[in-house]
Amino acid sequence: MEKLLQQLEEYKKAISAENPTNADEIESFRIKYLGTKGIVKSVMGFMKDVAVEKKKEAGQLLNDFKLLVEAKYEALKNTATTHQANASNIDISLPGNPINVGSRHPLSLIKNQIITIFQRLGFAVAEGPEIEDDWHNFGAMNLPEDHPARDMQDTFYIHQNPAWLLRTHTSSVQARVMEKQQPPIRVICPGRVYRNETISARAHCFFHQVEGLYIDENVSFADLKQTLYYFVQEMFGKDVKVRFRPSYFPFTEPSAEMDISCLICEGNGCNVCKHTGWVEILGSGMVHPKVLENFGIDSNKYTGFAFGMGVERICQLKYRVNDLRLYSQNDIRFLKQFTGVV
Ligand code: DAH
């Protein structure tokens, strides 16, 4: 015990004389005292020679010694950091720049929710270019040149090459899938689309769509209805009602638009539903045989349904966003309302 006390005193003196300042020397200090073959480890070896009744006291002394060495090591490191900071004129007492927690854009949130729902039904995601040619955007979808239905989808053409345009719908992706793949086909096509519209609360020169395409043997209008009904219930809850209205699209026959009961006023009538209690959310129909034949798909053997919805509209109903311009203004007061939403 005497020997131990004496030894520790000597080490303490030696330690207080050690004042390394650079990183290498400090590391040597650590190895010398705190390393696996260091002094702290070796003095612990004294324990076995200490008489039983003194063991507790000796243990305490050794532990204090270890803490002292560790404290010295920490102090040396801190001083070195301060030295370094002073040498390079860094004021380490300056508060840092806080990093703000971001959020997903509401349109991304909704797009991902739509994708997840259709993936559960076995739909794969397909993507395609935003700059398209006339054939994939219009021709292949049974919208030949001079077809009056093109008027509803006026778009922007590329100066250097007027054969290129900004796609007006993601039906162009359906075309690209049918070009490469024979049925069965079951895809959804999310993406940004463009139209030549004057910007207002209700219209914009670009927006987002998710279109879907399902082609196989014996696909019927009943499959279309059930699939879309499932989607609506998953997206908006079990209480929402749906209705189909006959419509016209050149690429489907028969065609239908689907409305859901207005979630804003619960069907009582408001601005969003134009006081009808119903809001249109998508266009749909059975794929026109001509579209199938355009891609060499045998329309006697295969049938299919397709649909297309606007992500902004779904988002408006789900999050009550009532002005399309909000989506692209990057106003932090708007965007931060979606922090934490998944
Ligand atoms: N492409 C249509 C539009 O942008 C929406 C649409 C309707 C897509 C019916 C479809 C469909 O695939 O079958 O207005």
Side-chain angles (χ1 to χ4, degrees), residues 141 152-153 168-171 174 193 195 207 209 211-213 249 251-252 255-256 282-287 305-309:
M141 301 315 286
M152 296 188 353
Q153 299 197 5
T168 58
H169 48 188
T170 56
S171 303
Q174 300 184 359
V193 300
R195 305 247 172 124
F207 60 100
Q209 282 190 330
E211 294 216 353
L213 176 68
F249 300 104
F251 32 87
T252 46
S255 306
L282 55 82
S284 63
M286 299 305 292
V287 181
F305 68 75
F307 57 89
M309 67 183 87

Side-chain angles (χ1 to χ4, degrees), residues 206-224:
F206 67 83
F207 60 100
H208 299 77
Q209 282 190 330
V210 178
E211 294 216 353
L213 176 68
Y214 182 18
I215 306 173
D216 203 346
E217 289 177 42
N218 301 319
V219 174
S220 71
F221 202 89
D223 297 314
L224 179 157

Side-chain angles (χ1 to χ4, degrees), residues 99-242:
I99 298 167
N100 293 323
V101 178
S103 59
R104 268 196 204 288
H105 192 279
L107 293 176
S108 296
L109 290 169
I110 290 291
K111 181 189 77 179
N112 291 344
Q113 288 172 23
I114 298 172
I115 290 175
T116 310
I117 295 170
F118 282 104
Q119 275 177 334
R120 265 184 244 140
L121 293 173
F123 283 79
V125 174
E127 287 183 315
E130 290 181 22
I131 301 176
E132 261 301 358
D133 52 57
D134 197 274
W135 168 251
H136 289 98
N137 195 80
F138 292 128
M141 301 315 286
N142 206 22
L143 273 147
E145 247 172 76
D146 303 322
H147 193 292
R150 281 199 184 198
D151 287 354
M152 296 188 353
Q153 299 197 5
D154 187 20
T155 184
F156 304 97
Y157 290 81
I158 309 294
H159 235 307
Q160 289 85 342
N161 187 347
W164 287 344
L165 48 88
L166 297 186
R167 67 181 179 193
T168 58
H169 48 188
T170 56
S171 303
S172 55
V173 185
Q174 300 184 359
R176 287 182 177 276
V177 170
M178 286 186 277
E179 207 166 51
K180 285 209 205 78
Q181 194 187 326
Q182 280 295 306
I185 292 172
R186 196 157 29 166
V187 289
I188 46 169
C189 315
R192 181 181 290 192
V193 300
Y194 300 81
R195 305 247 172 124
N196 184 8
E197 301 266 356
T198 308
I199 298 170
S200 71
R202 291 172 159 270
H204 210 301
C205 59
F206 67 83
F207 60 100
H208 299 77
Q209 282 190 330
V210 178
E211 294 216 353
L213 176 68
Y214 182 18
I215 306 173
D216 203 346
E217 289 177 42
N218 301 319
V219 174
S220 71
F221 202 89
D223 297 314
L224 179 157
K225 280 180 92 172
Q226 190 52 41
T227 303
L228 295 178
Y229 187 46
Y230 172 81
F231 162 71
V232 164
Q233 290 202 322
E234 290 295 300
M235 185 52 111
F236 297 110
K238 302 280 177 223
D239 293 336
V240 68
K241 295 197 220 28
V242 301

Side-chain angles (χ1 to χ4, degrees), residues 20 26 29-30 34 66-82:
I26 294 172
F29 174 91
R30 188 191 65 78
L34 294 165
K66 185 174 167 221
L67 293 176
L68 178 104
V69 180
E70 283 172 353
K72 171 88 182 189
Y73 172 59
E74 287 304 318
L76 289 173
K77 274 200 307 189
N78 285 342
T79 326
T81 316
T82 319

